[in-house]
Amino acid sequence: NAGVTQTPKFRVLKTGQSMTLLCAQDMNHEYMYWYRQDPGMGLRLIHYSVGEGTTAKGEVPDGYNVSRLKKQNFLLGLESAAPSQTSVYFCASSYVALVHTQYFGPGTRLTVL
Amino acid sequence: KQEVTQIPAALSVPEGENLVLNCSFTDSAIYNLQWFRQDPGKGLTSLLLIQSSQREQTSGRLNASLDKSSGRSTLYIAASQPGDSATYLCAVARGNKLVFGAGTILRVKS
């Protein structure tokens, strides 16, 4: 039981490049989330999903897109990376939103030059 | 808009000391409040979850309290150990989402 895994762990991009971050969970959780964490700030919600085939915007969705084609996977895409997207990205999942806690992946450290 | 504030931002204590971390939030209409631990370079690990109808939760040396009316929660750590060194984040749940504070960086010196 791996829990929540994230791929890749580190990535460096040039401004304007695109990439996809992959999150996978093996706990059969319905809800999945993408957050970013910046120095001196808490985690901020980018997008989330309440089930397979659904997505919704969080607090800071601009510049990101997501897809949830399979229940166990949640993809975060950056179409045209900007230096302001340099951050640590965390994926999380939960069985039922709010009633149960969220389980977090180890994070992806992204640098945009 | 819900805002979550954690004080202090950083704390350094000698081993064995009891300590309190504070969390305050601006909107009392929350579903629950959670405390997480984050080790350097790692993801978050849930410590305690307090439902809005509860006043406190305990797990081992950790005790978290919730006062919705005043918009405050405290995390009490008894007999601190060097292994407790980490960043502690609180988060309040509203709608389908968690709103996080910036965290308290705790260092326990041996």
Side-chain angles (χ1 to χ4, degrees):
Chain A
N1 190 331
V4 179
T5 58
Q6 292 183 232
T7 308
K9 289 185 170 54
F10 303 93
R11 186 71 185 269
V12 178
L13 290 178
K14 294 181 179 178
T15 298
Q17 289 184 319
S18 63
M19 78 163 293
T20 300
L21 282 66
L22 170 64
C23 175
Q25 52 95 4
D26 60 2
M27 296 175 283
N28 201 35
H29 285 170
E30 290 293 336
Y31 292 76
M32 296 188 74
Y33 313 83
W34 276 108
Y35 295 92
R36 61 178 289 172
Q37 185 177 35
D38 300 295
M41 303 182 71
L43 278 72
R44 292 182 291 168
L45 183 64
I46 304 171
H47 286 282
Y48 64 100
S49 168
V50 301
E52 181 178 319
T54 74
T55 63
K57 293 181 179 180
E59 182 185 357
V60 289
D62 294 341
Y64 306 95
N65 56 76
V66 288
S67 64
R68 183 112 181 258
L69 299 180
K70 294 183 179 181
K71 185 177 183 179
Q72 63 268 32
N73 295 336
F74 195 29
L75 278 63
L76 177 70
L78 287 72
E79 291 186 347
S80 179
S84 60
Q85 294 177 305
T86 293
S87 188
V88 181
Y89 291 85
F90 289 100
C91 176
S93 70
S94 66
Y95 183 59
V96 176
L98 307 186
V99 174
H100 299 96
T101 190
Q102 294 183 13
Y103 293 83
F104 282 79
T108 295
R109 185 173 296 274
L110 175 66
T111 301
V112 182
L113 303 175
Chain B
K1 178 183 175 184
Q2 178 72 272
E3 293 184 359
V4 180
T5 303
Q6 292 188 244
I7 294 173
L11 183 62
S12 182
V13 300
E15 182 177 6
E17 192 163 298
N18 302 325
L19 57 98
V20 174
L21 307 181
N22 297 293
C23 174
S24 62
F25 47 95
T26 54
D27 187 342
S28 62
I30 64 171
Y31 194 86
N32 64 44
L33 184 143
Q34 302 182 39
W35 283 92
F36 292 87
R37 169 183 172 140
Q38 184 177 26
D39 293 293
K42 301 293 177 81
L44 280 67
T45 300
S46 177
L47 296 173
L48 292 164
L49 185 156
I50 313 175
Q51 299 294 351
S52 62
S53 58
Q54 298 175 319
R55 296 283 292 180
E56 65 178 341
Q57 281 285 345
T58 298
S59 176
R61 294 182 293 107
L62 306 179
N63 175 276
S65 67
L66 174 63
D67 184 342
K68 275 180 48 178
S69 61
S70 66
R72 293 181 182 180
S73 176
T74 61
L75 178 66
Y76 176 82
I77 302 177
S80 59
Q81 303 170 359
D84 294 330
S85 298
T87 298
Y88 291 81
L89 297 103
C90 74
V92 297
R94 192 171 185 212
N96 277 325
K97 308 161 196 173
L98 288 178
V99 179
F100 284 83
T104 294
I105 302 171
L106 173 64
R107 180 184 172 210
V108 181
K109 299 172 289 185
S110 57

